Amino acid sequence: MLILTKSMFAIMIGFLGAVILGLFLVPALKRWKVGQRISVFVGESHRKKEGTPTMGGFIFIIPTLLATLFLLATDRMSYTSNLGIVLVVFIGYAIIGFLDDYLSIKRKGNEGLTEFQKLVAQIIIALIFFYMYMKNGGQTALVVSTLGIHIEMGWVYGLFILFILVGASNAVNLADGLDGLAGGLSAIAFIAFSLISMVVGFEDMGIFTFILTGALLGFLVYNTHPAKIFMGDTGSLALGGVMGAIAILTHRELTLAVVAGVFIAETLADILQVFWITVFKKKLFLMAPLHHHFEKLGWEERDIVKLFWVIGLILAMAGIFFGVWL
């Protein structure tokens, strides 16, 4: 009962914090003309979104950090090395995203950090994660006890961590193309990891992800169609990075592939599109990532988001079963 109370309180303060911050941040970003530049390659329906405030990730990042500090200060949450690592990743990837958003706005275009600069920065955070993980006695084996899987990876596990963190952060970033899509899918995924973390004995991870889930729900108040604000790379990179970090720290790396299935599909569609154009000189999809393909088929934005949310919810439920029982 105590854990349930803590969980509900965590969601509540995360949600209220995000809603209250949004009331001030959305109009402030409009006044400061922190507007999103829309790519010329997307559909005409997106052109009217030009100038919508970006960097909205702060609406869920700041309340999550403040709520975490509040719960730690009031002894409603225990500080652990795992929580410290998660906070480093969360803040680190948020900073990378902020720099990308800031440069895009400053240059009045869609170009922020170069892909190489962004990748190097993501790798640096992943290396810091691995150092902290190993210093705190982290295992280097991939384990799924029920299936009898125990693969000792040694130093290769460091590459595995790098792949998960960089891959997850970019996957959420690719999915951030429709109003409410990335935010809703992330909230669903974090609910799954919150429950898994609580059941398998990582209460610190569970409380943190419940706070973040609540904050994401508060963010969706402003981000669902028609969006008043976009999360930008500030939010998407932070969400993907912390999602990967929690999967690693709770030893549920394979569960991430299930829970984040929609994000993976978006990423694979983008990769396959590039491959098809390079090799076969034609498109596999009408447009990538995958949500844009559905738009080109004539689907309404709201309907695409609802479909992806439903698929994400089904995968999250499967992931909870996989993560708890396997």
Side-chain angles (χ1 to χ4, degrees), residues 110-124:
N110 238 354
E111 297 295 327
L113 295 172
T114 66
E115 292 300 321
F116 179 74
Q117 289 171 332
K118 195 183 297 185
L119 179 61
V120 169
Q122 289 172 310
I123 290 173
I124 289 172

Side-chain angles (χ1 to χ4, degrees), residues 157-172:
Y157 192 74
L159 297 178
F160 185 51
I161 282 177
L162 188 151
F163 173 77
I164 291 175
L165 291 180
V166 175
S169 62
N170 285 316
V172 176

Side-chain angles (χ1 to χ4, degrees), residues 12 45 50 64 72 78 125 128-129 139 150 161 164 177 187 206 212 239 289 304 312-313:
M12 181 186 71
S45 62
E50 183 86 28
T64 298
L72 288 172
S78 300
I125 300 299
I128 293 172
F129 174 96
Q139 68 175 30
H150 189 287
I161 282 177
I164 291 175
L212 181 53
L239 290 176
I304 299 169
L313 183 59

Side-chain angles (χ1 to χ4, degrees), residues 23-276:
L23 290 173
F24 297 96
L25 190 59
V26 173
L29 291 175
K30 283 183 179 179
R31 287 196 303 273
W32 298 333
K33 301 187 186 303
V34 183
Q36 176 72 49
R37 298 284 176 170
I38 304 299
S39 171
V40 297
F41 299 106
V42 298
E44 193 61 35
S45 62
H46 286 263
R47 299 301 302 170
K48 60 187 178 183
K49 298 181 182 182
E50 183 86 28
T52 301
T54 187
M55 292 191 191
F58 284 122
I59 290 179
F60 55 81
I61 291 170
I62 293 173
T64 298
L65 294 175
L66 292 178
T68 299
L69 291 174
F70 171 74
L71 292 181
L72 288 172
T74 56
D75 293 325
R76 289 181 172 89
M77 184 179 185
S78 300
Y79 179 81
T80 65
S81 58
N82 281 346
L83 180 60
I85 294 171
V86 164
L87 291 174
V88 167
V89 171
F90 192 45
I91 295 170
Y93 276 100
I95 291 172
I96 297 171
F98 168 74
L99 289 174
D100 192 39
D101 288 335
Y102 173 76
L103 291 174
S104 294
I105 294 163
K106 186 177 180 181
R107 294 167 181 170
K108 298 182 179 180
N110 238 354
E111 297 295 327
L113 295 172
T114 66
E115 292 300 321
F116 179 74
Q117 289 171 332
K118 195 183 297 185
L119 179 61
V120 169
Q122 289 172 310
I123 290 173
I124 289 172
I125 300 299
L127 290 174
I128 293 172
F129 174 96
F130 185 58
Y131 171 77
M132 296 177 70
Y133 176 78
M134 293 304 297
K135 188 177 180 181
N136 287 286
Q139 68 175 30
T140 56
L142 183 63
V143 180
V144 184
S145 56
T146 307
L147 299 180
I149 296 175
H150 189 287
I151 305 172
E152 178 55 54
M153 301 176 71
W155 64 268
V156 178
Y157 192 74
L159 297 178
F160 185 51
I161 282 177
L162 188 151
F163 173 77
I164 291 175
L165 291 180
V166 175
S169 62
N170 285 316
V172 176
N173 184 243
L174 283 172
D176 185 28
L178 299 179
D179 296 350
L181 180 58
L185 287 172
S186 296
I188 292 168
F190 282 120
I191 275 286
F193 273 110
S194 298
L195 296 172
I196 292 168
S197 299
M198 287 296 196
V199 172
V200 300
F202 292 91
E203 185 179 316
D204 54 338
M205 297 292 95
I207 296 297
F208 176 82
T209 46
F210 271 127
I211 295 171
L212 181 53
T213 298
L216 278 167
L217 293 175
F219 170 70
L220 286 173
V221 170
Y222 306 100
N223 183 242
T224 48
H225 188 75
K228 299 179 181 67
I229 193 168
F230 301 139
M231 70 169 67
D233 283 10
T234 304
S236 61
L237 294 184
L239 290 176
V242 82
M243 195 181 298
I246 290 170
I248 295 165
L249 292 170
T250 57
H251 313 302
R252 295 301 184 276
E253 301 93 336
L254 296 183
T255 301
L256 179 64
V258 180
V259 173
V262 177
F263 292 120
I264 292 172
E266 292 268 45
T267 305
L268 289 177
D270 202 57
I271 293 171
L272 285 172
Q273 183 82 320
V274 174
F275 174 79
W276 230 257

